[in-house]
Amino acid sequence: MSPLPSGDTIEQAVRLSGRAPSLHNSQPWRWVFDGAALHLYSVRERMLPATDASGRQLLLSCGLALGHLRSALAAAGWQTRVAYFPNPTRHEHLATVTFEPARIVTDADLDRAAAIEVRYTDRLPFSAPNDWRDFEPVLPVIVDPRDAVITVLPPEARAELAHASRLTAAVRRYDSSYQAELQWWAGHSLAAEGIPPEARISTEERERVEVSRVLPAIGGESRRTEIDEDRSVVVVLSGGDSAIEFLRCGEALSTILLECTVAGYHTCPLTHVTELPRSRAMIRALTGREEQPQVLVRIGSVPVSERRQPPTPRLPLTQILAVTAPATAVSE
């Protein structure tokens, strides 16, 4: 095997990385391939300052894209090594990824990469996840504790969790900058960014999901009416509050979302309850950990017969990948 992935392999891996979820589908990432390595950059123009004033969620989003890229390359037969923040004078240069041929491609590698195309953020109510007792012990095994610490919240924490969600919504209701930003990214259809109507829920559907960000509601008939209230399991990813820790937490989130998809679960990442100090403190108290909660995930099952919603649009490859190497440098 060539010591470098082919140009087609690089393009496919970056395309799949772009399927990662991000805050309001803002997709704040850009990749540059120089013929020897892939470089990940944040795109500050896609940061949402009213929602994410510190840029924490921008880094989580970019970490998700990095995690998806590594999964895609593993399935294509490439191990990856990551140097985080390789240039101390360029804070937007988040990571440099280098490659070496993998000794083996496992079924788990192939399944995780295939899940990238299947996964989507599902904001509707869930049934309790099937066979959860068998899956829950897998979580601490698949995530490096240096990337994130996992807490599965018990059912008795649900009332306090719902309280934190309502508190966040109440405070944000009167934040005009936040509401304007929300309307821009989720209040109207954009060609390849933002949250389209089919990915949002109605007011009635939201009443059955106690823990959710309040997005502009849609009309139409209610869906999943057989599920009278959300019975998902909620998992918290906690970690440190440095830039590299945000990035690596995003990678851990990528792993969890893809493994849940492989297991047949639907997922919904939640960050609204970690954006404000008071609600974040409430979540931290629920985990009982010293680390700060960064992101939560609702995990559940849905009716087997239900059709999956169409994939949320993403930016074209030409807008997220630049190749600076000669054509011969990316051929096998």
Side-chain angles (χ1 to χ4, degrees):
M1 179 181 283
S2 166
L4 287 174
S6 69
D8 287 344
T9 299
I10 291 292
E11 289 185 356
Q12 174 68 351
V14 171
R15 186 186 70 80
L16 289 174
S17 79
R19 294 303 313 169
S22 56
L23 178 61
H24 298 350
N25 195 28
S26 52
Q27 304 166 71
W29 46 68
R30 180 172 63 91
W31 296 92
V32 176
F33 184 61
D34 65 7
L38 262 172
H39 304 273
L40 173 62
Y41 295 86
S42 60
V43 180
R44 288 285 163 172
E45 293 79 8
R46 294 186 167 277
M47 179 176 164
L48 282 62
T51 308
D52 181 30
S54 68
R56 178 177 64 90
Q57 293 187 69
L58 177 147
L59 292 172
L60 285 171
S61 298
C62 289
L64 272 156
L66 177 58
H68 274 39
L69 177 106
R70 299 183 77 177
S71 291
L73 286 170
W78 294 94
Q79 288 185 332
T80 50
R81 297 184 184 277
V82 178
Y84 299 95
F85 294 94
N87 189 338
T89 65
R90 295 194 63 185
H91 299 299
E92 76 278 12
H93 188 181
L94 306 183
T96 293
V97 181
T98 53
F99 327 95
E100 61 182 56
R103 296 178 60 186
I104 186 174
V105 176
T106 67
D107 288 343
D109 293 329
L110 296 173
D111 289 344
R112 192 178 289 181
I116 294 175
E117 299 269 32
V118 177
R119 184 219 65 86
Y120 68 93
T121 297
D122 188 338
R123 297 176 175 85
L124 289 166
F126 298 154
S127 298
N130 298 324
D131 302 318
W132 179 253
R133 291 180 62 184
D134 294 331
F135 183 79
E136 183 178 345
V138 174
L139 290 173
V141 176
I142 61 176
V143 172
D144 189 329
R146 294 172 296 179
D147 296 341
V149 180
I150 310 300
T151 304
V152 179
L153 295 182
E156 53 268 26
R158 197 63 175 234
E160 186 69 4
L161 186 58
H163 180 207
S165 186
R166 291 192 299 270
L167 173 66
T168 302
V171 173
R172 291 296 203 185
R173 179 181 176 87
Y174 301 101
D175 185 337
S176 58
S177 296
Y178 172 87
Q179 291 296 333
E181 200 169 74
L182 187 67
Q183 287 294 327
W184 170 254
W185 289 97
H188 63 281
S189 297
L190 302 171
E193 55 193 343
I195 306 174
E198 57 268 23
R200 306 198 307 266
I201 60 177
S202 68
T203 300
E204 187 280 329
E205 290 162 346
R206 186 189 303 133
E207 289 175 352
R208 290 183 276 134
V209 184
E210 291 183 310
V211 185
S212 65
R213 188 190 294 273
V214 178
L215 300 173
I218 61 168
E221 292 188 13
S222 292
R223 295 163 290 180
R224 280 188 209 152
T225 54
E226 66 274 30
I227 302 177
D228 59 350
E229 65 176 337
D230 182 61
R231 292 182 172 84
S232 61
V233 168
V234 177
V235 172
V236 183
L237 281 71
S238 303
D241 265 342
S242 69
I244 188 172
E245 288 167 319
F246 297 152
L247 198 61
R248 294 184 64 154
C249 184
E251 290 185 83
L253 178 57
S254 166
T255 298
I256 288 176
L257 295 179
L258 296 182
E259 286 292 337
C260 284
T261 303
V262 171
Y265 300 135
H266 283 224
T267 56
C268 182
L270 302 165
T271 53
H272 67 293
V273 288
T274 60
E275 290 169 356
L276 301 177
R278 184 174 174 186
S279 56
R280 197 183 195 198
M282 293 169 70
I283 304 303
R284 184 181 179 186
L286 289 176
T287 67
R289 298 186 181 278
E290 295 182 359
E291 297 88 354
Q292 287 284 4
Q294 305 297 348
V295 60
L296 288 66
V297 186
R298 284 197 304 118
I299 303 170
S301 296
V302 305
V304 176
S305 59
E306 181 177 293
R307 293 177 58 188
R308 284 186 174 266
Q309 68 182 40
T312 302
R314 292 294 196 268
L315 294 169
L317 186 65
T318 54
Q319 292 190 34
I320 64 171
L321 172 64
V323 177
T324 60
T328 55
V330 293
S331 61
E332 287 188 340

